[in-house]
Amino acid sequence: KLDPGLIMEQVKVQIAVANAQELLQRMTDKCFRKCIGKPGGSLDNSEQKCIAMCMDRYMDAWNTVSRAYNSRLQRERANM
């Protein structure tokens, strides 16, 4: 017999993995376009710094939005 709780947990894990993959892909695309003028065999010092700062800012922004979204969900659930 299938355990609905187990299936739901597996679905949640799959969704979390898909969200993480999408976040990484979007961050990579955005920061590459912003920081890499002429792709080559290696990154120069300014490109490395730009990539690092871009990824840090992107993750900070994503975490801020995520916390606000989760907080709003919790408030809405409490009001139901």
Side-chain angles (χ1 to χ4, degrees), residues 23-70:
L23 170 66
L24 184 59
Q25 183 63 47
R26 285 184 182 196
M27 182 172 52
T28 301
D29 289 346
K30 178 181 174 69
C31 294
F32 183 87
R33 283 194 313 273
K34 177 180 174 20
C35 297
I36 311 300
K38 293 184 179 180
S42 63
L43 299 175
D44 66 28
N45 200 29
S46 65
E47 290 171 330
Q48 289 178 23
K49 287 179 183 177
C50 180
I51 290 284
M53 290 177 63
C54 178
M55 293 178 82
D56 285 346
R57 284 192 308 268
Y58 197 95
M59 287 304 298
D60 287 345
W62 188 85
N63 286 330
T64 299
V65 169
S66 181
R67 280 192 302 271
Y69 178 74
N70 286 330

